[in-house]
């Protein structure tokens, strides 16, 4: 019943602290207007066990019935964001509360803001819960694996509508400040329930927010107030440490700034961070070295499938100085015997994926050496997942993967379920178009298990997927984890 659903949603807002008790009537009237309803009765209902997803579904079903919205995931998402915004405090109120809590501690501020971002349904908890997650032990540590199921699939109606829609360049992208409060459209998500915390980075206005898809704990995005392209340079290292000084319990990293080895949005300067310790951060140094003129900065090669230099110092400025020096050397470095080319035909290939964090009294910066050269044999990239592994992971290896978290495509859930059935029943995997791409892989690993049954098949598939991800990371490493690769790594270090 409409009145009951509205009453429950308002109570949810009050119980979570999104809505003050003094605004109960005001919020009720906002929701009635959204639902094109003129009257209201204060009906009796259970207000102790409110499930947000269920209440929103009831209101969305009613909105469809009344012809307010079309019945599709996209239009439902656009509309339930409007409904949630009726409960929300204004941006200035959110900012004011955040900085008051920051005076107590940075962690108190981020804890509150992260909870707000979930209670507001900007982060849809019930969708995130659908993601499949597990870990796999490797020689490099414990890698995290997730199959991303929280991003809704585009429905045909929305795709058709987006194709007919008038082209809009507002907001310019999903990382622009102009997203805050934006109603959305068929080809751009609604952000009416979104609140951004303005921060100052290198004297400029930046924004701090959480990712709506939270691939790990408190997965945040820190983005430039201006829509300008990403660039890895000295200023980028300084920006990372500006943030770490503000929020010392978080790490912050940048995607590389070249295609193939970069992230999905290179057009807007941004970083990603959070309150999570990845396997890469736990990985030990296997070989220390010093760079002339920077003897006060600890430097070492990290035991990791990608090629990583770790810098440590109590003075972040000295780390920034050395990182800039290393970046300059790497961008111009060629070692044909190791198939490292700084450029071909004037196209640059080398860059860095940097990650900054605090470690006790020390500041720390991991520099992941990247190169995006392609060949006829590897048209998507020599230091990119090789074709043999594309049945599991074909997409770019960005910052999140670099640190040891596989974000795998949603298709794998259904494919793994089919593989489970085919393996247990002894069916021919090659006879099914959907999973035949996995056949050679299964032929490789299955004989290594003496007993495969109903109780262990899921664990086996998860572990084997994890092993493939480990190989993906090794493919992305410019200096391989072999004695020959380490020797090539040392040759680069010798020119620093």
């Amino acid at each position: 019943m409409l009145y009951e659903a509205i009453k429950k949603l308002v109570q949810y807002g009050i119980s979570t602290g999104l809505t003050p008790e003094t605004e109960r009537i005001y919020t009720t009237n906002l929701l009635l207007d959204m639902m094109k309803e003129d009257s209201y009765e204060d009906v009796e209902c259970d207000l102790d066990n409110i499930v947000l997803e269920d209440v929103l579904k009831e209101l969305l079903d009613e909105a469809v019935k009344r012809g307010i919205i079309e019945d599709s995931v996209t239009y439902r998402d656009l509309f339930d964001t409007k409904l949630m915004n009726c409960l929300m405090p204004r941006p200035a109120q959110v900012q004011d509360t955040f900085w008051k809590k920051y005076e107590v501690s940075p962690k108190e501020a981020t804890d509150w803001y992260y909870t707000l971002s979930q209670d507001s349904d900007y982060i849809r908890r019930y969708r995130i819960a659908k993601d499949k997650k597990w870990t796999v032990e490797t020689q490099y540590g414990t890698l995290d694996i997730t199959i991303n199921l929280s991003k809704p699939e585009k429905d045909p109606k929305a795709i058709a509508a987006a194709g007919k829609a008038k082209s809009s360049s507002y907001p310019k992208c999903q990382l622009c400040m102009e997203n805050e409060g934006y109603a959305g459209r068929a080809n751009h998500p609604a952000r009416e329930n979104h609140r951004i915390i303005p921060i100052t980075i290198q004297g400029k206005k930046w924004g701090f927010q959480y990712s709506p898809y939270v691939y790990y704990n408190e997965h945040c995005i820190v983005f430039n107030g201006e829509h300008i392209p990403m660039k890895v340079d000295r200023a980028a290292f300084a920006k990372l440490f500006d943030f770490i000084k503000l929020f010392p319990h978080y790490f912050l990293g940048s995607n590389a700034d070249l295609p193939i080895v970069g992230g999905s949005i290179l057009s807007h300067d941004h970083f990603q961070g959070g309150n999570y310790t990845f396997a890469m951060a736990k990985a030990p140094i296997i070989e220390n070295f010093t760079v002339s003129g920077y003897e006060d900065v600890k430097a070492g090669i990290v035991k990791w499938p990608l090629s990583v230099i770790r810098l440590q110092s109590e003075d972040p400025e000295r780390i920034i100085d050395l990182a800039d020096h290393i970046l300059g050397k790497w961008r111009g470095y060629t070692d044909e015997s190791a198939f490292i080319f700084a450029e071909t035909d004037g196209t640059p290939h080398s860059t860095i994926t940097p990650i900054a964090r605090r470690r006790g009294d020390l500041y720390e910066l991991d520099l992941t050496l990247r190169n995006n050269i392609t060949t006829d044999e590897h048209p998507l990239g020599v230091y990119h997942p090789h074709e043999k592994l594309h049945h599991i992971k074909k997409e770019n290896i960005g910052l999140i993967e670099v640190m040891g978290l596989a974000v795998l495509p949603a298709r794998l859930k259904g494919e793994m379920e089919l593989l489970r059935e085919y393996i247990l029943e002894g069916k021919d995997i090659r006879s099914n178009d959907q999973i035949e791409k996995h056949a050679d892989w299964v032929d490789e690993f299955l004989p290594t298990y003496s007993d495969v049954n109903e109780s262990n098949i899921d664990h086996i598939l998860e572990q084997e997927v994890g092993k493939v991800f480990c190989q993906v990371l090794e493919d992305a490493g410019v200096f391989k984890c072999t004695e020959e690769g380490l020797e090539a790594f040392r040759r680069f270090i010798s020119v620093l």
Side-chain angles (χ1 to χ4, degrees):
M1 184 182 170
L2 177 62
Y3 298 156
E4 183 177 318
I6 286 177
K7 185 173 181 177
K8 284 184 176 179
L9 189 58
V10 173
Q11 184 58 49
Y12 170 86
I14 291 166
S15 300
T16 55
L18 295 174
T19 311
E21 172 63 48
T22 52
E23 293 181 10
R24 184 184 290 273
I25 294 171
Y26 172 77
T27 307
T28 300
N29 287 333
L30 289 179
L31 291 168
L32 287 168
D33 181 52
M34 286 285 177
M35 299 302 297
K36 309 294 185 199
E37 177 67 31
D38 295 329
S39 59
Y40 179 71
E41 291 174 25
D42 189 7
V43 294
E44 286 292 317
C45 60
D46 178 16
L47 297 178
D48 293 327
N49 302 293
I50 298 170
V51 178
L52 180 62
E53 184 181 14
D54 295 345
V55 175
L56 288 176
K57 183 180 184 304
E58 204 172 323
L59 289 168
L60 291 168
D61 288 348
E62 183 66 24
V64 169
K65 196 189 301 180
R66 292 178 176 223
I68 298 169
I69 59 168
E70 286 189 51
D71 191 10
S72 78
V73 174
T74 299
Y75 292 106
R76 283 172 170 259
D77 280 4
L78 290 171
F79 191 70
D80 70 9
T81 305
K82 289 183 190 298
L83 295 175
M84 289 305 298
N85 191 42
C86 294
L87 312 181
M88 293 291 292
R90 301 279 286 191
Q93 294 171 282
V94 172
Q95 294 165 28
D96 186 53
T97 303
F98 180 89
W99 291 113
K100 279 179 179 166
K101 290 184 178 294
Y102 185 89
E103 287 172 12
V104 178
S105 77
K107 188 175 184 304
E108 180 145 334
T110 56
D111 284 353
W112 173 82
Y113 181 45
Y114 189 53
T115 300
L116 175 96
S117 299
Q118 295 172 88
D119 289 343
S120 67
D121 210 35
Y122 163 71
I123 296 171
R124 297 172 184 261
R125 286 186 179 108
Y126 44 88
R127 284 192 186 156
I128 304 297
K130 294 176 184 174
D131 289 347
K132 275 182 68 71
K133 296 181 179 184
W134 68 94
T135 59
V136 61
E137 297 300 323
T138 73
Q139 61 174 310
Y140 308 105
T142 307
L143 300 182
D144 293 296
I145 315 293
T146 178
I147 296 179
N148 174 35
L149 302 169
S150 53
K151 277 189 182 178
E153 297 290 328
K154 287 281 173 69
D155 55 81
K157 283 183 183 176
I159 292 169
K164 293 174 189 172
K166 184 181 166 189
S167 177
S168 173
S169 58
Y170 180 87
K172 289 190 176 75
C173 77
Q174 291 185 30
L175 291 179
C176 286
M177 286 283 190
E178 289 78 11
N179 282 280
E180 186 176 44
Y182 186 63
R185 52 185 189 267
N187 61 352
H188 193 103
R191 291 288 183 254
E192 284 168 300
N193 58 346
H194 181 35
R195 302 293 181 262
I196 295 167
I197 304 298
I199 58 175
T200 301
I201 299 288
Q202 289 290 288
K204 298 283 180 68
K205 184 181 178 183
W206 280 59
F208 167 52
Q209 66 183 43
Y210 291 105
S211 164
Y213 307 113
V214 285
Y215 293 136
Y216 50 85
N217 188 49
E218 295 173 52
H219 176 185
C220 70
I221 300 171
V222 180
F223 57 98
N224 200 315
E226 297 177 50
H227 182 76
I228 56 175
M230 288 188 65
K231 190 177 182 186
V232 175
D233 56 9
R234 180 191 172 84
F237 303 141
K239 290 168 190 171
L240 293 176
F241 281 116
D242 268 10
F243 180 84
I244 296 301
K245 289 171 195 171
L246 278 172
F247 303 100
H249 58 301
Y250 276 17
F251 76 87
L252 193 69
S254 172
N255 267 305
D257 55 354
L258 291 178
I260 297 176
V261 295
S264 56
I265 303 178
L266 294 178
S267 61
H268 195 124
D269 191 15
H270 73 284
F271 306 123
Q272 295 182 78
N275 189 9
Y276 188 72
T277 305
F278 288 91
M280 181 185 183
K282 299 175 188 172
I285 298 289
I286 55 169
E287 194 166 298
N288 290 296
F289 63 90
T290 55
V291 179
S292 177
Y294 304 91
E295 289 83 1
D296 54 323
V297 181
K298 291 181 184 174
I301 298 171
V302 179
K303 184 182 179 183
W304 194 242
L306 287 97
S307 310
V308 181
I309 292 171
R310 179 167 294 159
L311 307 179
Q312 291 180 326
S313 174
E314 291 183 5
D315 182 0
E317 287 302 316
R318 292 296 289 156
I319 294 180
I320 292 165
D321 289 342
L322 179 50
D324 186 42
H325 174 73
I326 292 170
L327 175 63
K329 291 289 187 183
W330 177 241
R331 287 204 194 275
Y333 184 73
T334 292
D335 179 351
E336 293 187 17
S337 64
F339 207 77
I340 304 294
F341 294 88
E343 55 88 24
T344 52
D345 301 324
T347 302
H349 295 304
S350 295
T351 187
I352 277 175
T353 301
I355 302 108
R357 63 182 79 88
R358 283 296 295 265
R359 195 182 291 270
D361 293 332
L362 296 174
Y363 288 92
E364 184 171 282
L365 185 66
D366 283 351
L367 302 174
T368 311
L369 307 179
R370 312 299 302 275
N371 187 283
N372 74 349
I373 195 168
T374 60
T375 61
D376 290 342
E377 186 186 356
H378 300 295
L380 295 181
V382 172
Y383 305 109
H384 177 85
H386 290 176
E387 191 174 2
K388 181 187 176 187
L389 311 177
H390 287 181
H391 65 104
I392 298 292
K393 177 75 174 174
K394 184 179 183 179
E395 298 79 12
N396 291 355
I397 302 305
L399 171 67
I400 293 172
E401 287 86 4
V402 164
M403 295 185 292
L405 167 59
V407 181
L408 301 177
R411 64 172 171 82
L412 278 176
K413 180 177 184 287
E415 290 171 13
M416 291 303 113
E417 287 167 358
L418 271 175
L419 277 176
R420 179 187 200 280
E421 174 194 325
Y422 273 59
I423 290 170
L424 288 176
E425 295 179 15
K427 294 182 186 175
D428 178 12
I429 291 168
R430 288 177 176 82
S431 69
N432 187 310
D433 291 346
Q434 198 179 339
I435 57 173
E436 65 173 333
K437 59 179 170 283
H438 297 299
D440 290 347
W441 170 57
V442 173
D443 287 347
E444 273 182 34
F445 76 72
L446 209 53
T448 65
Y449 294 91
S450 56
D451 181 30
V452 178
N453 55 57
E454 189 89 28
S455 64
N456 69 7
I457 182 66
D458 292 327
H459 179 71
I460 287 171
L461 285 170
E462 286 178 355
Q463 293 305 297
E464 292 300 327
V465 166
K467 289 175 189 174
V468 170
F469 177 59
C470 188
Q471 291 173 51
V472 159
L473 295 184
E474 289 175 334
D475 281 353
V478 292
F479 300 120
K480 302 307 176 188
C481 299
T482 61
E483 193 48 52
E484 187 183 6
L486 189 57
E487 205 46 58
F489 207 154
R490 291 184 188 119
R491 284 199 298 276
F492 169 63
I493 288 166
S494 71
V495 306
L496 295 178

